[in-house]
Coordinates of all heavy atoms in Angstrom, one line a residue:
K1 N 0.8 -1.2 0.0 CA 0.0 0.0 0.0 C 0.9 1.3 0.0 O 0.6 2.2 -0.7 CB -0.9 0.0 1.2 CG -1.8 1.2 1.3 CD -2.7 1.1 2.5 CE -3.6 2.3 2.6 NZ -4.5 2.3 3.8
D2 N 2.0 1.2 0.8 CA 2.9 2.4 0.8 C 3.5 2.6 -0.6 O 3.6 3.8 -1.0 CB 4.0 2.1 1.8 CG 3.5 2.0 3.2 OD1 2.5 2.7 3.5 OD2 4.1 1.4 4.0
T3 N 3.8 1.6 -1.3 CA 4.4 1.7 -2.6 C 3.4 2.3 -3.6 O 3.8 3.2 -4.4 CB 4.9 0.3 -3.2 OG1 5.8 -0.3 -2.2 CG2 5.6 0.5 -4.5
T4 N 2.2 1.9 -3.5 CA 1.1 2.4 -4.4 C 0.9 3.9 -4.1 O 0.8 4.7 -5.0 CB -0.2 1.7 -4.2 OG1 0.1 0.3 -4.4 CG2 -1.3 2.2 -5.1
Q5 N 0.9 4.2 -2.8 CA 0.7 5.6 -2.4 C 1.9 6.5 -3.0 O 1.6 7.7 -3.4 CB 0.7 5.8 -0.9 CG -0.6 5.2 -0.3 CD -0.7 5.3 1.2 OE1 0.4 5.4 1.8 NE2 -1.9 5.3 1.7
K6 N 3.1 6.0 -3.0 CA 4.2 6.7 -3.5 C 4.1 7.1 -4.9 O 4.4 8.1 -5.4 CB 5.5 5.9 -3.2 CG 6.8 6.7 -3.6 CD 8.0 5.9 -3.3 CE 9.3 6.6 -3.7 NZ 10.5 5.8 -3.4
D7 N 3.5 6.1 -5.7 CA 3.4 6.3 -7.2 C 2.4 7.4 -7.5 O 2.5 8.0 -8.5 CB 2.9 5.0 -7.8 CG 4.0 3.9 -7.7 OD1 5.2 4.3 -7.6 OD2 3.6 2.7 -7.8
T8 N 1.4 7.6 -6.6 CA 0.4 8.6 -6.8 C 0.6 9.9 -6.2 O -0.2 10.8 -6.2 CB -1.0 8.0 -6.4 OG1 -0.9 7.8 -5.0 CG2 -1.4 6.8 -7.1
T9 N 1.8 10.1 -5.5 CA 2.1 11.3 -4.8 C 2.1 12.5 -5.7 O 1.5 13.6 -5.3 CB 3.5 11.2 -4.1 OG1 3.4 10.1 -3.2 CG2 3.8 12.5 -3.4
Q10 N 2.7 12.4 -6.8 CA 2.8 13.6 -7.7 C 1.4 14.1 -8.1 O 1.1 15.2 -8.2 CB 3.6 13.3 -8.9 CG 3.9 14.5 -9.8 CD 4.9 14.2 -10.9 OE1 5.4 13.0 -11.0 NE2 5.2 15.2 -11.7
K11 N 0.5 13.1 -8.5 CA -0.8 13.4 -8.9 C -1.6 14.1 -7.7 O -2.3 15.1 -7.9 CB -1.6 12.2 -9.3 CG -3.0 12.4 -9.8 CD -3.7 11.1 -10.2 CE -5.1 11.3 -10.6 NZ -5.8 10.1 -11.1
D12 N -1.5 13.6 -6.5 CA -2.1 14.1 -5.4 C -1.7 15.5 -5.1 O -2.4 16.4 -4.7 CB -1.9 13.2 -4.1 CG -2.6 11.9 -4.3 OD1 -3.5 11.8 -5.1 OD2 -2.3 11.0 -3.5
T13 N -0.3 15.8 -5.3 CA 0.2 17.1 -5.0 C -0.3 18.1 -5.9 O -0.7 19.3 -5.5 CB 1.8 17.0 -5.1 OG1 2.3 16.1 -4.2 CG2 2.4 18.4 -4.8
T14 N -0.5 17.8 -7.2 CA -1.0 18.8 -8.2 C -2.4 19.1 -7.8 O -2.8 20.3 -7.8 CB -1.0 18.1 -9.6 OG1 0.4 17.8 -9.9 CG2 -1.5 19.1 -10.6
Q15 N -3.2 18.1 -7.5 CA -4.6 18.3 -7.1 C -4.7 19.2 -5.9 O -5.6 20.0 -5.7 CB -5.4 17.0 -7.0 CG -6.9 17.1 -6.7 CD -7.5 15.8 -6.6 OE1 -6.9 14.7 -6.9 NE2 -8.8 15.8 -6.4
K16 N -3.8 18.9 -4.9 CA -3.8 19.6 -3.6 C -3.6 21.1 -3.8 O -4.2 22.0 -3.2 CB -2.8 19.0 -2.7 CG -2.8 19.7 -1.3 CD -1.8 19.0 -0.4 CE -1.7 19.6 0.9 NZ -0.7 19.0 1.8
D17 N -2.6 21.4 -4.8 CA -2.2 22.8 -5.0 C -3.4 23.6 -5.6 O -3.7 24.7 -5.2 CB -1.1 22.9 -6.0 CG 0.2 22.4 -5.4 OD1 0.3 22.4 -4.2 OD2 1.2 22.0 -6.2
T18 N -4.1 22.9 -6.5 CA -5.3 23.6 -7.0 C -6.4 23.8 -6.0 O -7.0 24.9 -5.9 CB -5.9 22.7 -8.2 OG1 -4.9 22.5 -9.1 CG2 -7.1 23.4 -8.8
T19 N -6.6 22.8 -5.2 CA -7.6 23.0 -4.1 C -7.3 24.0 -3.1 O -8.1 24.8 -2.7 CB -7.8 21.6 -3.4 OG1 -8.1 20.6 -4.3 CG2 -8.9 21.7 -2.3
Q20 N -6.0 24.1 -2.8 CA -5.6 25.1 -1.8 C -5.8 26.5 -2.3 O -6.2 27.4 -1.5 CB -4.1 24.9 -1.4 CG -3.8 23.8 -0.5 CD -2.4 23.6 -0.2 OE1 -1.5 24.1 -0.9 NE2 -2.1 22.9 0.9
K21 N -5.6 26.8 -3.6 CA -5.8 28.1 -4.1 C -7.3 28.5 -4.0 O -7.6 29.6 -3.8 CB -5.3 28.1 -5.6 CG -3.8 28.1 -5.8 CD -3.4 28.1 -7.2 CE -1.9 28.0 -7.4 NZ -1.6 27.9 -8.9
D22 N -8.1 27.5 -4.3 CA -9.6 27.8 -4.3 C -10.1 28.0 -2.9 O -11.2 28.7 -2.7 CB -10.4 26.6 -4.9 CG -10.0 26.4 -6.4 OD1 -9.6 27.4 -7.0 OD2 -10.2 25.3 -6.9
T23 N -9.4 27.5 -1.8 CA -10.0 27.6 -0.5 C -9.3 28.6 0.4 O -9.6 28.7 1.6 CB -9.9 26.2 0.2 OG1 -8.6 25.8 0.2 CG2 -10.8 25.2 -0.6
T24 N -8.3 29.3 -0.1 CA -7.5 30.2 0.7 C -8.4 31.3 1.4 O -8.3 31.5 2.7 CB -6.5 31.0 -0.1 OG1 -5.6 30.0 -0.7 CG2 -5.7 32.0 0.8
Q25 N -9.3 31.9 0.7 CA -10.1 32.9 1.3 C -11.1 32.3 2.3 O -11.3 32.9 3.4 CB -11.0 33.6 0.2 CG -11.8 34.8 0.7 CD -12.5 35.6 -0.4 OE1 -12.3 35.2 -1.6 NE2 -13.2 36.6 0.0
K26 N -11.6 31.1 2.0 CA -12.5 30.4 3.0 C -11.8 30.1 4.3 O -12.3 30.3 5.4 CB -13.1 29.2 2.4 CG -14.0 28.4 3.2 CD -14.6 27.2 2.5 CE -15.5 26.4 3.4 NZ -16.0 25.2 2.8
D27 N -10.5 29.6 4.2 CA -9.7 29.2 5.3 C -9.4 30.4 6.2 O -9.5 30.3 7.5 CB -8.4 28.6 4.9 CG -8.5 27.2 4.3 OD1 -9.6 26.7 4.5 OD2 -7.6 26.7 3.7
T28 N -9.2 31.6 5.6 CA -8.9 32.8 6.4 C -10.1 33.2 7.2 O -10.0 33.5 8.4 CB -8.5 34.0 5.5 OG1 -7.4 33.6 4.7 CG2 -8.2 35.2 6.3
T29 N -11.3 33.1 6.6 CA -12.5 33.4 7.4 C -12.7 32.4 8.5 O -13.1 32.8 9.6 CB -13.7 33.4 6.4 OG1 -13.5 34.3 5.3 CG2 -15.0 33.8 7.1
Q30 N -12.5 31.1 8.2 CA -12.7 30.1 9.2 C -11.7 30.3 10.4 O -12.1 30.1 11.5 CB -12.6 28.7 8.6 CG -13.7 28.3 7.7 CD -13.5 26.9 7.1 OE1 -12.4 26.5 7.0 NE2 -14.6 26.3 6.7
K31 N -10.5 30.7 10.0 CA -9.5 30.9 11.1 C -9.9 32.0 12.1 O -9.7 31.9 13.3 CB -8.1 31.3 10.4 CG -7.0 31.5 11.4 CD -5.7 31.8 10.7 CE -4.6 32.0 11.7 NZ -3.3 32.3 11.0
D32 N -10.4 33.1 11.5 CA -10.9 34.2 12.4 C -12.0 33.7 13.3 O -12.0 34.0 14.5 CB -11.4 35.4 11.6 CG -10.3 36.1 10.8 OD1 -9.1 35.9 11.2 OD2 -10.6 36.7 9.8
T33 N -12.9 32.9 12.8 CA -14.0 32.4 13.6 C -13.5 31.4 14.6 O -14.0 31.5 15.8 CB -15.1 31.7 12.7 OG1 -15.5 32.6 11.7 CG2 -16.2 31.2 13.5
T34 N -12.6 30.6 14.2 CA -12.0 29.6 15.2 C -11.3 30.3 16.3 O -11.4 29.9 17.5 CB -11.0 28.7 14.4 OG1 -11.7 28.0 13.4 CG2 -10.4 27.7 15.4
Q35 N -10.5 31.4 16.0 CA -9.8 32.1 17.1 C -10.8 32.7 18.1 O -10.6 32.7 19.3 CB -9.0 33.2 16.5 CG -7.7 32.6 15.8 CD -6.8 33.8 15.3 OE1 -7.2 34.9 15.2 NE2 -5.5 33.4 15.1
K36 N -12.0 33.2 17.6 CA -13.0 33.8 18.5 C -13.6 32.7 19.4 O -13.8 32.9 20.6 CB -14.1 34.5 17.7 CG -13.6 35.7 17.0 CD -14.7 36.4 16.2 CE -14.3 37.7 15.5 NZ -15.4 38.2 14.7
D37 N -13.8 31.5 18.7 CA -14.4 30.4 19.5 C -13.4 29.9 20.6 O -13.8 29.6 21.7 CB -14.7 29.2 18.6 CG -15.9 29.5 17.7 OD1 -16.7 30.5 18.0 OD2 -16.1 28.8 16.7
T38 N -12.1 29.9 20.2 CA -11.1 29.4 21.1 C -11.0 30.4 22.3 O -10.9 30.0 23.5 CB -9.7 29.3 20.4 OG1 -9.8 28.3 19.3 CG2 -8.6 28.8 21.4
T39 N -11.0 31.7 22.0 CA -10.9 32.7 23.0 C -12.0 32.6 24.0 O -11.8 32.6 25.3 CB -10.9 34.1 22.4 OG1 -9.8 34.3 21.6 CG2 -10.9 35.2 23.5
Q40 N -13.3 32.3 23.5 CA -14.4 32.2 24.4 C -14.3 30.9 25.2 O -14.7 30.9 26.4 CB -15.7 32.2 23.6 CG -17.0 32.2 24.4 CD -17.0 33.4 25.4 OE1 -16.9 34.5 25.0 NE2 -17.3 33.1 26.7
K41 N -13.8 29.8 24.6 CA -13.7 28.6 25.4 C -12.7 28.7 26.5 O -12.8 28.2 27.6 CB -13.2 27.5 24.4 CG -14.3 27.0 23.5 CD -13.8 25.9 22.5 CE -14.9 25.5 21.5 NZ -14.4 24.5 20.6
I42 N -11.6 29.5 26.2 CA -10.6 29.7 27.3 C -11.2 30.5 28.4 O -10.9 30.2 29.6 CB -9.3 30.4 26.7 CG1 -8.6 29.4 25.7 CG2 -8.4 30.9 27.8 CD1 -7.4 30.1 25.0
L43 N -11.9 31.5 28.1 CA -12.6 32.3 29.1 C -13.5 31.5 30.0 O -13.5 31.6 31.2 CB -13.4 33.5 28.5 CG -12.5 34.7 27.9 CD1 -13.4 35.6 27.2 CD2 -11.8 35.4 29.1
D44 N -14.2 30.6 29.3 CA -15.1 29.7 30.1 C -14.4 28.8 31.0 O -14.8 28.5 32.1 CB -16.0 28.8 29.1 CG -17.0 29.7 28.3 OD1 -17.3 30.8 28.7 OD2 -17.4 29.2 27.2
I45 N -13.2 28.3 30.5 CA -12.4 27.4 31.3 C -11.8 28.1 32.6 O -11.8 27.6 33.7 CB -11.2 26.8 30.5 CG1 -11.8 25.8 29.5 CG2 -10.2 26.1 31.4 CD1 -10.8 25.3 28.5
L46 N -11.4 29.4 32.3 CA -10.8 30.2 33.4 C -11.9 30.5 34.5 O -11.6 30.6 35.7 CB -10.2 31.5 32.9 CG -9.0 31.3 32.0 CD1 -8.5 32.7 31.6 CD2 -7.9 30.5 32.6
K47 N -13.1 30.7 34.0 CA -14.2 31.0 35.0 C -14.5 29.7 35.8 O -14.7 29.8 37.0 CB -15.5 31.4 34.2 CG -15.4 32.8 33.6 CD -16.7 33.1 32.8 CE -16.6 34.4 32.1 NZ -17.8 34.6 31.3

């Protein structure tokens, strides 16, 4: 299975690069939301 995965690495990398370009803006928005959620969770834990 490891050998097969190695053969398809180049194909997966190309597809991954394309997907990452399409989702950059979405990831940035999600990161801001995640940080706000994390901050609130930390405040809840401290209380």
